[in-house]
Amino acid sequence: MPLISSSVASAAACVGACSGQPAPDTHGAVLSNDWVNREYKHLILQAGHPAADARAGQFFHLLCPATPSDSPFFRRPMSTYRADPLSGRVEFLYKVTGSGTRGLASLEAGDTLPMLGPLGVGFSLPPVARQIVVLGRGVGLATLAPLSDLAANAGVGVTAILSARDDDSLMSQDRFAATGASMIEVTDQAGTSTVENVERILRELHAAGRADAFYTCGSSRLTRLMQRLGKELAIPGEVAMEQQMACGIGMCYCCVHAFREGEKLVSKRVCWDGPVFPLAEVA
Amino acid sequence: MMLDLSIDLGGLRLLNPVMPASGTFAEGLANTIDINRLGAFVTKTITHEKRSGNPVPRVAEVHSGMLNAIGIPSKGTDYFIQETVPFYRHFSPPLVVSISAPSNDGFAQLAAQLSCVPGVAAIEANISCPNIEEDGKAFAMHARSTAQVVRALRTSTSLPVWVKLTPNTGEIAAVAKAAEDEGADAIVVANTILGMAIDIHTRRPKLGNVMGGLSGPAVKPIVVRMVYQCHRAVSIPIIGCGGIANADDAIEFMLAGASAIQVGTATFVHPAAMIDVLDGLASYCQRKGLANLNGLIGAVEDTGFVPFEAMA
């Protein structure tokens, strides 16, 4: 029985049996953690290699600090808003809602944050795609933002449909704009964010030859819509799933979801087999 | 002085006493820590048949711990032997396979089948999962049902048999003795404690299975007590498991009577928890001038308290 001494070598040994990608517990140094509106904060960390090599759609398992009023026990999975291998920076855009994100919100420049990752399977572009459509709502847009870089680097055009409650809650416009994506904003306030209206927009984009692939995140309403249209119009697609997690690395089987494999329904781990899955497989 | 952390667990020698608790360890951890440093590998419980597991949510965070009701999803024994065991052959620690079955015969057949698989070093019989049957019923709730299943296991395999007990019984020492009398090589003390949590806004149980097993730092004093009680009742080795998150916790379990320890929930929060426990254990021994672990096991000094005689 061969003895393998380093964790990297061990990872190499598990190619085929597991993803094999080293996922160290990095101590990210907080550079800034600013409010972007009343509900969302933007956290920027100096994390270096391999954290900053995270691909679009991958996530980190964050050890959110305790505060005088909150003691989050588990880590919190959070998808990457931006990862830049050149600068070594990793960024997160998050809504402050519970004990974990309230803990994250307490971080200040100079603090450190244990961040396990990058983890999971990220987004991919079909080889034939020239134009993709990205549809997201609220915090889901943070997960989808790195897709704009992935697409731009591959010479693929992006139309981003950004959905939110109102204009102030729209996220990530600058990220999409920076890569030359065209943006369509829909809000509850303007009455444009209904499934019917978004479906009309998607059909128009398809008719105009601007929808070779669909991408979405989180919202089951939007996932169902893209899944249904994708099937009808033969457009492939992917969805980044959200699910409560404990370990984040495929050990505990807490974050399972049902997927279709042919005629069968199979259970998959969102942290390990995803979080990005083919739209057509989501049950 | 050379420090020797190796430990003899009823015929199976481990290079150190630190291993994962069943259900909290899988191949993915090899991407994050050097799993060759562990004393042993303990797999997630497998069953003969394929099982889908419990409805979500399967986990809830509570103060200093977690409630879980995963429900032993299993791809079946054939998949395990063909896909999982070969992965661990790349590594040096012995592979301990956790098994579950609905009957004495089922346990015996599964143990017999695994005995022929190269690379399987021991069986951990999970006769204590609180999440399979209604209200946490399990073989290890009673000495009599424990004796029957351990007897069936003992006649079916020559591999070392570890028996994992439940803290939900009121007679842990009698259950431990029953396991020893029927030939168990070691006991694992203990599985999770049956618990429940309710969302006060939705009025829904926080687990899809309604009830589930409590683990993490919240349970540690209860399980230390049970290890202590078992140590007084049996002479086979005890593997302590319950809320161990650092070396201090591990040493506390050893003083109570554990020869080895399992780390579970802590790994979910700190993937390197087992490595930290191992390093901390070594530095504790060096600081205390201990050459090995023998002087720690069951070494709690529990006598000499003076009776308090003054009347209120």
Side-chain angles (χ1 to χ4, degrees):
Chain A
M1 195 173 289
L3 257 169
I4 300 158
S5 58
S6 81
S7 59
V8 175
S10 304
C14 70
V15 169
C18 63
S19 80
Q21 182 187 12
D25 202 7
T26 301
H27 280 69
V30 176
L31 298 173
S32 64
N33 187 23
D34 299 324
W35 290 99
V36 297
N37 60 25
R38 279 166 297 145
E39 297 172 308
Y40 286 83
K41 290 193 90 168
H42 181 192
L43 174 62
I44 305 179
L45 300 125
Q46 189 66 41
H49 170 82
D53 303 331
R55 297 188 299 272
Q58 286 193 298
F59 73 99
F60 287 83
H61 216 23
L62 306 180
L63 190 63
C64 304
T67 67
S69 52
D70 291 301
S71 304
F73 180 74
F74 288 131
R75 289 180 182 234
R76 298 295 193 266
M78 190 164 290
S79 56
T80 317
Y81 181 53
R82 190 205 300 262
D84 179 13
L86 289 178
S87 66
R89 290 183 180 185
V90 176
E91 305 179 23
F92 300 99
L93 183 66
Y94 60 100
K95 187 176 182 178
V96 182
T97 50
S99 63
T101 45
R102 282 195 296 269
L104 271 191
S106 73
L107 288 170
E108 295 176 0
D111 290 344
T112 58
L113 174 69
M115 41 192 290
L116 178 68
L119 300 173
V121 177
F123 291 109
S124 62
L125 297 167
V128 294
R130 307 289 298 271
Q131 299 270 342
I132 64 169
V133 178
V134 176
L135 168 63
R137 182 171 166 88
V139 76
L141 288 164
T143 304
L144 295 166
L147 250 179
S148 61
D149 300 318
L150 182 74
N153 291 338
V156 171
V158 176
T159 305
I161 306 173
L162 315 181
S163 173
R165 202 172 52 229
D166 51 42
D167 287 344
D168 288 344
S169 308
L170 282 165
M171 289 285 134
S172 306
Q173 296 104 313
D174 54 333
R175 289 296 315 282
F176 287 105
T179 54
S182 14
M183 282 182 287
I184 301 168
E185 298 178 358
V186 295
T187 64
D188 302 353
Q189 196 178 34
T192 48
S193 62
T194 60
V195 169
E196 294 73 24
N197 192 49
V198 173
E199 177 170 349
R200 186 186 58 76
I201 295 169
L202 289 173
R203 287 187 185 277
E204 283 174 12
L205 288 169
H206 171 252
R210 289 167 63 189
D212 298 329
F214 281 161
Y215 295 87
T216 188
C217 170
S219 161
S220 61
R221 215 168 48 116
L222 299 180
T223 301
R224 297 279 166 238
L225 170 61
M226 278 196 144
Q227 192 177 40
R228 176 165 56 80
L229 280 187
K231 190 174 179 188
E232 180 192 324
L233 305 171
I235 299 171
E238 291 181 335
V239 54
M241 305 284 290
E242 293 173 350
Q243 184 67 284
Q244 184 191 23
M245 294 180 189
C247 76
I249 50 178
M251 302 193 293
C252 68
Y253 288 79
C254 290
C255 65
V256 294
H257 191 94
F259 294 88
R260 284 194 201 88
E261 257 182 15
E263 297 298 301
K264 282 189 307 183
L265 267 189
V266 297
S267 154
K268 292 188 178 181
R269 292 161 287 180
V270 171
C271 73
W272 185 254
D273 303 302
V276 175
F277 294 92
L279 260 174
E281 288 183 12
V282 179
Chain B
M1 182 174 60
M2 271 297 286
L3 177 59
D4 178 10
L5 291 178
S6 70
I7 208 83
D8 182 40
L9 284 182
L12 183 64
R13 188 123 201 120
L14 307 187
L15 289 180
N16 71 68
V18 180
M19 66 185 101
S22 175
T24 67
F25 177 76
E27 296 91 315
L29 199 59
N31 296 339
T32 298
I33 68 165
D34 180 4
I35 61 173
N36 267 322
R37 291 197 60 203
L38 303 179
F41 300 145
V42 184
T43 68
K44 185 165 177 64
T45 299
I46 62 160
T47 56
H48 171 69
E49 72 283 6
K50 293 181 183 173
R51 293 174 53 90
S52 58
N54 283 328
V56 294
R58 290 178 168 184
V59 63
E61 179 173 289
V62 297
H63 284 294
S64 295
M66 69 182 273
L67 275 175
N68 88 80
I70 309 294
I72 311 192
S74 171
K75 290 180 178 168
T77 316
D78 294 341
Y79 178 92
F80 177 80
I81 291 171
Q82 285 157 26
E83 303 294 331
T84 308
V85 175
F87 171 83
Y88 291 108
R89 292 198 190 113
H90 293 290
F91 301 91
S92 53
L95 180 66
V96 181
V97 180
S98 172
I99 64 170
S100 176
S103 65
N104 298 335
D105 285 349
F107 267 101
Q109 284 166 16
L110 192 44
Q113 188 182 359
L114 288 164
S115 303
C116 314
V117 178
V120 175
I123 302 287
E124 181 179 284
N126 179 1
I127 62 168
S128 47
C129 179
N131 295 329
I132 301 185
E133 291 207 45
E134 200 179 335
D135 293 330
K137 280 178 201 150
F139 292 88
M141 289 295 284
H142 305 290
R144 186 183 158 85
S145 44
T146 299
Q148 288 167 348
V149 69
V150 176
R151 190 180 311 144
L153 278 162
R154 188 67 288 164
T155 54
S156 70
T157 181
S158 53
L159 287 175
V161 173
W162 302 356
V163 177
K164 190 166 183 178
L165 307 190
T166 174
N168 299 315
T169 177
E171 43 178 305
I172 189 86
V175 171
K177 188 72 172 62
E180 178 179 48
D181 288 347
E182 295 297 339
D185 296 285
I187 52 174
V188 183
V189 180
N191 212 310
T192 55
I193 299 175
L194 191 65
M196 183 171 173
I198 303 168
D199 185 312
I200 62 163
H201 301 294
T202 63
R203 302 189 177 189
R204 301 277 292 165
K206 288 187 178 178
L207 294 175
N209 191 50
V210 181
M211 289 177 271
L214 178 66
S215 63
V219 308
K220 196 187 76 175
I222 297 172
V223 187
V224 168
R225 178 267 294 179
M226 290 187 159
V227 167
Y228 176 76
Q229 289 176 312
C230 289
H231 187 63
R232 293 194 300 187
V234 301
S235 53
I236 53 174
I238 298 167
I239 300 158
C241 176
I244 296 171
N246 54 47
D248 290 9
D249 296 337
I251 293 159
E252 191 178 347
F253 268 85
M254 291 185 151
L255 292 172
S259 295
I261 58 95
Q262 295 182 343
V263 179
T265 305
T267 301
F268 292 166
V269 182
H270 296 284
M274 287 185 283
I275 304 300
D276 293 346
V277 167
L278 179 56
D279 290 343
L281 193 55
S283 60
Y284 175 87
C285 289
Q286 275 152 355
R287 280 200 311 277
K288 300 285 182 183
L290 300 169
N292 56 55
L293 297 171
N294 297 337
L296 280 180
I297 299 163
V300 57
E301 296 188 12
D302 54 355
T303 57
F305 291 104
V306 179
F308 187 73
E309 290 174 340
M311 292 297 135

